[in-house]
Amino acid sequence: MRASVAGCRMSVGALLNGLLVSVVAALLWKYSKLSEHATLLEEELHMTQQSQEVSQARIDYHVALQALQEHGTRMVCSGKMHTDRICRFDYLCYCSEAEEFVFFHSNSSVMLPNLGSRRFQPALLDLSSVEDHNTQYFNFLELPAAALKFMPKPVFVPDVTLILNRFNPDNLMHVFHDDLLPAFYTMQQYSDLNDEARLVFMEGWGEGPHFDLYRLLSSKQPLLKEQLRNFGKLMCFTKSYVGLSKMTTWYQYGFVQPQGPKANILVSGNEIRQFARALMEKMNITKVDEPERDGGSAEDEKEKEKKDEYIVVFSRSTTRLILNEAELIMALAQEFEMRVVTVSLEEQSFPSIVQVISGASMLVSMHGAQLITSLFLPRGAVVVELFPFAVNPEQYTPYKTLASLPGMDLHYVSWRNMKEENTVTHPDRPWEQGGIAHLEKDEQVRILASKDVPRHLCCRNPEWLFRIYQDTLVDIPSFLEVLKEAMKARPNLKKTKIPWNLKYLKVREVKYEVWIQEQGENTYMPYILPQQNYTFSENIKPFTTYLVWVRCIFSKNLLGPFADVLMCRT
Amino acid sequence: MRASVAGCRMSVGALLNGLLVSVVAALLWKYSKLSEHATLLEEELHMTQQSQEVSQARIDYHVALQALQEHGTRMVCSGKMHTDRICRFDYLCYCSEAEEFVFFHSNSSVMLPNLGSRRFQPALLDLSSVEDHNTQYFNFLELPAAALKFMPKPVFVPDVTLILNRFNPDNLMHVFHDDLLPAFYTMQQYSDLNDEARLVFMEGWGEGPHFDLYRLLSSKQPLLKEQLRNFGKLMCFTKSYVGLSKMTTWYQYGFVQPQGPKANILVSGNEIRQFARALMEKMNITKVDEPERDGGSAEDEKEKEKKDEYIVVFSRSTTRLILNEAELIMALAQEFEMRVVTVSLEEQSFPSIVQVISGASMLVSMHGAQLITSLFLPRGAVVVELFPFAVNPEQYTPYKTLASLPGMDLHYVSWRNMKEENTVTHPDRPWEQGGIAHLEKDEQVRILASKDVPRHLCCRNPEWLFRIYQDTLVDIPSFLEVLKEAMKARPNLKKTKIPWNLKYLKVREVKYEVWIQEQGENTYMPYILPQQNYTFSENIKPFTTYLVWVRCIFSKNLLGPFADVLMCRT
């Protein structure tokens, strides 16, 4: 009973539920016909399996069916609340007609958490990484396993499956922040969610323009909700995980409060960079790593590096344009004496773009999803984000927040167009591209007069859309000014002292032992370093004095004396 | 730096930390000696591995060492708060001298959650299933992987390991509620925590009297903290999970508020019974299952059952005695016309006790840990808990709560000694057995005069201990009275109507299709049942009216008409 009652309380409402019930009733009457039909379904399965490569992991159908009938569904979840929950299932089924997942009860089924007859409120879990979004909830119907005898023969998916919702597969920032990173680290939580795992996207969208990126998560083709119909009326996942970790997300999109960084960010740049590295390997991109430094003199290195440094301008070719891009590029080249490369999603393959960005010293771009690619920048690089007129950079910080994550080691700068004469508006475009023609006249007047978009919630604020879709003529002097200021303000990095006598010593393997003591603390942190220049950023508190003890280690066991202690203020 | 700073903030405090630092320093100087020592450790490892059967899963030592040095430690956790977190590690290490776990940082190490330089407050996670208990926290030191070159050669544990604290291994209730059930379902969350997994108990206790029960969780011998020293100064778990699920616990012991059921119980009797079944299989106990009912007449069944029904009295032979146990047994036998069997932890093996209890119709016992065995009772059985004088049954309900879990299908009755002349106190025993001689005279007088132990916190309330360790002469009339009342009050179970004409039909395979509709709801729940008598307990709401539609199904496809609808009130 809970099943259908719950069903009608679920997203799809009474309609679908009535449908399910009538289906079941019909099936009861048509039992004999169904057995034939089931055989057809099984053939269909094998067809589908072929095309889906599922056949590689084929299972004994009748063993599986018996297990399902006897043991029903097993579910064990982690997490106390629905916003924080991932569940592991054996034999979770999906009824494509009712578009509902089904939990089959037997006297040996397991459900943890089990609320008895109380239903999960508002849902068992979030199916996307966006917290508590009411279009992203996951629930299931409940039926007695006995009812299986009177339902279509189930089709089994033998792969270990990760079931989730993509939040917005059309937008590159959303693809990375909401889907790829969370899925990548959700898979790392479970040993059997490996390269052989199957992803199933239940949000109901088509593949979308970035589907190749989702393909990188495992060797198996991801399945879309619409494709599940091909498996027949009832399909059962022998082993599946449902839900996504939110551990790696850093930004909230303004559904309950104006958009901004998440209150409690749990990811650091290290995990982002691990993810980026893994993805680049999948794309067969050989990262331009920081050159090895042990031995050779630092000066030569500096020279060598200098030569192959370059700046990337990420240009948008349809909306939110930089109207004087050529001029901007010239200015950058002259100012920094570097090559300037332009890339655009419309003209290059994504891997080729990542290849370029992974070696860049600076990334310049208008505010927009393409800036998520800054997670592929090397450590120490600079991110420059441009904002159209009347848009406050402090209110839209997904990329600033990313660049500022500890361990991300990026330097972020924003520039904002302050000159109204340098902006080009598009009042007559459709509303979703910032058009305002559909608004009341006086509202249009108000928006046109306003010099600053007030704080607002997601997602259809016309004033915000109007301003963010402006094209901009970048004022070069003010742009360079901001850039130079920012570079000056770059934090003064602590360096370990290079012993004066080193260049006179002919020692191949020189290492440095560095002990750092926080003033007042009675404990030390020992580091063994190959480099002469090393920046201690991790675990360094601001506004603190550190005592730094440095000594040489020649060929491992010959230890030099500690040099005089260095005092460092952060 | 975070490492040692954190270290000294950790449970062990600055002392151990100073120790660690000096150890590391010493090791730096004694490098050459250590390399010899490391070889010894490796031999020691192989010895230990033999005895620990670890050898079965031996790994390439140098591959593992290289992986650790290059990639450091990887950690990916579930759960937002430390009270709700389980973490999966690659290469988590343990320094037995400092008694600290160590996380090795490299530029490819992963830490999720990663709070940068902010430390986990108050801890990364709870190592036992008891929520937020400050003696049960888990944290680790952090060191750069480079430091490995100057530390003792690590010994690798190739098993997939579950690391946890047992909360109170001496007490059977704690063993089941805090350790076995949580560990069992934690292992069900992770596919590689299987029968080959290794458990490591870090609370620091010895094996304890119930170690055989912990052995049932996997085929490998669990390791105790003290045994980790045998692996040498530094050991690394190639794959490990740290922490326990709290999903299955139903009781809180009164650390912050007087003891009682947990605020939000997430486990049902079904999961408890699944666990019990699994444990019984491991103990090679053949559960006395409810007899199959299809076909044969219900009356015969009733008779057959009646004959082999029996009552179990679980007696305690050292403290909290029933002084007239023989009389009590006689009374029970006469009242219910059943055999009465007594069991005691002191005189029987645990499996033999479980064997007996798993077939009992009633379990009678003084309040105490042995009552946790009621989770092995068959559905429908009765649990009778006796309380000494001045102890209020409503305030100490671990077993009442267990018996009352939905789907546990047990009937709970408590009896309390109201006659002071029937109680025997032990004021002169040591305090932990309820002695009060050590207290102020007037405090002793107050306690002796009190007729009811006031609500109190855990764990050393002398008045509580004094009263709970009393021996009791059970007043038979009042005891039987309570019992009979309780049996009357047993909920009137709904039964499906047996068609009058059935006994005249010669049909082998008769099934019943039952549709249940909650009055006012527009949805139904279909059941297909083999039995004539079936109790719908699951998902039935109290104080609700249900419409029940029943019809016969002869040999699957020949369907009878629906009988008149039945109205059932709960």
Side-chain angles (χ1 to χ4, degrees), chain B residues 237-457:
Chain B
F237 300 93
T238 51
K239 301 245 173 234
S240 63
Y241 296 82
V242 181
L244 278 181
S245 165
K246 299 183 172 76
M247 205 81 70
T248 59
T249 56
W250 62 83
Y251 206 70
Q252 59 84 13
Y253 299 125
F255 296 110
V256 288
Q257 76 207 72
Q259 65 171 269
K262 273 173 66 181
N264 185 17
I265 296 177
L266 299 175
V267 68
S268 87
N270 300 324
E271 291 72 38
I272 305 284
R273 290 191 172 281
Q274 282 306 307
F275 162 80
R277 190 177 308 178
L279 231 58
M280 287 170 69
E281 275 169 21
K282 294 273 194 178
M283 293 188 279
N284 301 319
I285 296 174
T286 54
K287 191 173 189 313
V288 188
D289 260 327
E290 296 88 63
E292 286 302 318
R293 280 216 192 70
D294 28 356
S297 117
E299 289 65 24
D300 312 352
E301 288 299 343
K302 276 228 178 50
E303 266 323 300
K304 216 177 112 297
E305 283 176 47
K306 194 74 188 161
K307 271 209 294 305
D308 27 278
E309 281 192 284
Y310 58 91
I311 297 170
V312 172
V313 172
F314 210 134
S315 68
R316 298 169 56 99
S317 47
T318 57
T319 62
R320 202 176 308 148
L321 305 173
I322 299 173
L323 296 169
N324 56 336
E325 206 165 83
E327 191 187 359
L328 182 77
I329 290 165
M330 288 302 300
L332 282 166
Q334 282 165 15
E335 175 64 32
F336 296 97
E337 297 169 325
M338 289 189 204
R339 291 182 296 128
V340 179
V341 187
T342 67
V343 295
S344 99
L345 288 170
E346 293 78 4
E347 283 146 39
Q348 280 124 304
S349 75
F350 191 76
S352 66
I353 291 175
V354 171
Q355 174 77 73
V356 172
I357 286 176
S358 67
S361 305
M362 186 185 294
L363 174 62
V364 180
S365 176
M366 264 289 166
H367 171 82
Q370 70 285 348
L371 267 169
I372 192 65
T373 55
S374 53
L375 64 82
F376 293 105
L377 282 168
R379 294 179 190 272
V382 182
V383 179
V384 186
E385 181 173 16
L386 311 179
F387 287 84
F389 181 75
V391 178
N392 182 349
E394 289 311 306
Q395 292 175 24
Y396 311 96
T397 60
Y399 314 112
K400 178 183 184 178
T401 307
L402 167 62
S404 312
L405 289 175
M408 202 60 207
D409 298 340
L410 293 176
H411 186 57
Y412 175 88
V413 187
S414 71
W415 173 89
R416 171 184 184 177
N417 175 21
M418 303 302 285
K419 297 185 171 174
E420 189 155 16
E421 65 270 26
N422 283 356
T423 199
V424 175
T425 63
H426 302 286
D428 302 328
R429 286 191 181 163
W431 71 266
E432 68 274 14
Q433 291 167 43
I436 54 172
H438 63 294
L439 300 175
E440 301 282 339
K441 198 86 206 78
D442 53 0
E443 176 64 356
Q444 295 184 33
V445 172
R446 188 192 64 72
I447 290 177
L448 289 166
S450 158
K451 307 250 169 299
D452 212 332
V453 177
R455 283 194 166 281
H456 57 87
L457 292 182

Side-chain angles (χ1 to χ4, degrees), chain A residues 1 4 74 114 188 524-525, chain B residues 1 4 74 188 524-525:
Chain A
M1 162 145 7
S4 18
R74 309 186 114 244
N114 189 328
Q188 304 250 322
Y524 304 75
M525 175 64 173
Chain B
M1 156 147 8
S4 20
R74 311 187 112 240
Q188 304 251 321
Y524 303 75
M525 175 66 171

Side-chain angles (χ1 to χ4, degrees), chain A residues 210-346:
Chain A
H210 308 291
F211 202 64
D212 283 346
L213 291 173
Y214 294 97
R215 285 202 184 88
L216 299 177
L217 290 171
S218 94
S219 64
K220 295 221 172 86
Q221 171 82 351
L223 291 176
L224 302 173
K225 184 182 179 184
E226 65 196 16
Q227 295 170 312
L228 297 187
R229 300 190 166 282
N230 310 338
F231 287 89
K233 286 201 172 55
L234 182 64
M235 68 189 294
C236 297
F237 301 93
T238 52
K239 303 248 172 227
S240 62
Y241 297 82
V242 181
L244 278 181
S245 165
K246 300 183 171 75
M247 206 81 71
T248 59
T249 56
W250 63 83
Y251 205 70
Q252 60 84 15
Y253 300 124
F255 296 109
V256 288
Q257 76 207 69
Q259 65 171 273
K262 273 173 65 182
N264 185 18
I265 295 176
L266 298 174
V267 67
S268 86
N270 300 325
E271 291 71 39
I272 305 285
R273 290 191 173 282
Q274 281 307 307
F275 161 80
R277 189 176 309 179
L279 230 57
M280 287 171 69
E281 275 168 21
K282 294 274 194 176
M283 292 188 280
N284 302 317
I285 295 174
T286 54
K287 190 175 188 313
V288 189
D289 260 328
E290 296 88 63
E292 286 301 318
R293 281 217 193 68
D294 31 355
S297 116
E299 288 65 21
D300 312 351
E301 289 299 344
K302 277 230 177 47
E303 266 323 300
K304 216 174 110 303
E305 281 175 48
K306 193 75 187 161
K307 272 207 296 304
D308 23 278
E309 281 191 283
Y310 58 89
I311 297 171
V312 172
V313 172
F314 210 132
S315 67
R316 298 168 58 96
S317 47
T318 56
T319 62
R320 203 176 308 148
L321 305 173
I322 299 173
L323 297 170
N324 54 338
E325 204 166 87
E327 189 187 1
L328 181 78
I329 289 166
M330 287 304 299
L332 283 166
Q334 281 165 17
E335 175 64 32
F336 296 97
E337 296 168 328
M338 289 189 204
R339 290 183 295 130
V340 178
V341 186
T342 66
V343 296
S344 99
L345 288 171
E346 293 78 6

